[in-house]
């Protein structure tokens, strides 16, 4: 559980001598474990000091970030209450989140998955593979987690933003490219890979989505709420036009 960081000292520009973040590094990413075996989803650097391409990483980052006096990356939004690494890479971990919406008006539906790691309803998606583009990752993740193949569709890119991911720390975080896919009607979807289920939910509004998910005894992933709200805002503006 992240330490609660007050808004005042959250910024890296504020000196906070009492700050004591919790190390969230899992056993498999600690130095001794990495020396013996590097997981296929992670880089082998035990600390950011062991990463030697920070200039390149900063050039291609979705969200600009700084390095501290040690040369360690700093979370663009400030202190998180956590240190260490519980993600594949130090610094920015690029992700892709395809928001698939079917139908219009009261009949509108959104495709969400039940995540296998934390058991909540979320946008299908995941990390961009090395050498992969965000558009390719959007299509791949959707196909892997729901069986829906939208390779021939052209989505609307909604944004490139920091995601309030539960694994983030002061020195490793997730920045996602979110994209909106519009379909005339729902299509067959089945949970696979990192998804326990794939479900079409009512999506005329965020309140309606919340109510449907709650009524089913489930929970909407809080980090994806801003992305879903942005998709709804885009749809509302499009309807006005």
């Amino acid at each position: 559980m992240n330490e609660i960081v007050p808004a005042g000292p959250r910024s890296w520009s504020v000196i906070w001598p009492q700050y004591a973040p919790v190390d969230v590094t899992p056993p498999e990413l600690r130095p001794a474990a990495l020396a013996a075996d590097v997981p296929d989803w992670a880089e082998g650097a035990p600390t950011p000091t062991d990463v030697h391409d920070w200039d390149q990483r900063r050039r291609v980052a979705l969200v600009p970030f700084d390095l501290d006096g040690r040369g360690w990356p700093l979370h663009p939004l400030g202190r998180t209450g956590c240190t260490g690494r519980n993600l594949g890479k130090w610094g920015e971990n690029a992700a892709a989140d395809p928001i698939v919406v079917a139908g219009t008006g009261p009949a509108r539906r959104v495709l969400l998955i039940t995540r296998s790691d934390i058991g909540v309803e979320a946008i299908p998606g995941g990390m961009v593979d090395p050498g992969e583009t965000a558009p390719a990752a959007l299509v791949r993740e959707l196909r892997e987690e729901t069986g829906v193949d939208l390779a021939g569709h052209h989505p609307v890119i909604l944004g490139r933003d920091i995601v309030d991911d539960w694994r983030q720390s002061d020195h490793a975080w997730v920045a996602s490219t979110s994209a909106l896919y519009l379909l005339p009607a729902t299509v067959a979807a089945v949970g696979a890979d990192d998804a326990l289920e794939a479900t079409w939910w009512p999506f005329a509004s965020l309140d309606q989505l919340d109510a449907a998910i709650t009524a089913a005894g489930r929970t909407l992933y809080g980090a994806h709420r801003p992305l879903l709200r942005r998709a709804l805002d885009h749809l509302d503006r499009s309807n006005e036009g």
Side-chain angles (χ1 to χ4, degrees):
M1 178 67 68
N2 289 20
E3 173 188 327
I4 297 175
V5 179
R10 188 171 299 152
S11 171
W12 295 111
S13 64
V14 176
I15 298 174
W16 188 7
Q18 297 82 16
Y19 182 53
V22 177
D23 192 339
V24 296
T25 307
E28 63 269 25
L29 295 184
R30 295 190 179 274
L34 289 175
D37 178 57
V38 179
D40 59 6
W41 51 271
E43 65 180 352
T47 75
T49 304
D50 302 294
V51 175
H52 305 294
D53 64 343
W54 285 120
D55 288 344
Q56 170 64 13
R57 295 192 188 196
R58 294 178 72 190
R59 278 196 297 271
V60 301
L62 295 179
V63 179
F65 65 91
D66 295 321
L67 304 179
D68 66 14
R70 299 172 296 175
W72 287 33
L74 294 174
H75 194 298
L77 300 185
R79 296 179 174 96
T80 64
C82 296
T83 190
R85 172 169 64 111
N86 193 13
L87 289 161
K89 296 170 57 179
W90 292 103
E92 182 180 281
N93 290 257
D97 287 306
I99 302 171
V100 184
V101 174
T104 59
R108 186 191 293 155
R109 298 289 185 272
V110 65
L111 181 60
L112 301 180
I113 63 164
T114 305
R115 287 179 54 151
S116 61
D117 55 354
I118 51 178
V120 298
E121 302 306 295
I123 300 166
M127 298 303 172
V128 178
D129 288 339
E132 186 179 38
T133 64
L138 288 163
V139 171
R140 175 183 56 77
E141 286 288 347
L142 182 64
R143 183 175 58 243
E144 289 177 354
E145 295 190 341
T146 71
V148 176
D149 191 345
L150 298 184
H153 293 249
H154 299 286
V156 176
I157 302 300
L158 296 176
R160 298 173 176 86
D161 311 276
I162 299 293
V163 176
D164 187 19
D165 191 276
W166 65 277
R167 297 161 294 183
Q168 70 182 343
S169 74
D170 290 352
H171 308 295
W173 58 90
V174 176
S176 174
T177 297
S178 56
L180 175 62
Y181 289 85
L182 296 175
L183 303 180
T186 60
V187 296
V190 179
D193 193 36
D194 296 329
L196 298 176
E197 296 181 36
T199 306
W200 289 98
W201 295 95
F203 197 51
S205 68
L206 201 55
D207 286 343
Q208 184 192 45
L209 176 63
D210 274 326
I213 289 175
T214 300
R218 303 186 184 185
T219 303
L220 178 61
Y221 185 36
H224 285 172
R225 187 178 297 274
L227 305 183
L228 292 166
R229 183 177 294 111
R230 182 180 291 169
L232 282 168
D233 289 345
H234 174 85
L235 291 168
D236 290 344
R237 288 194 302 271
S238 297
N239 289 338
E240 289 174 2

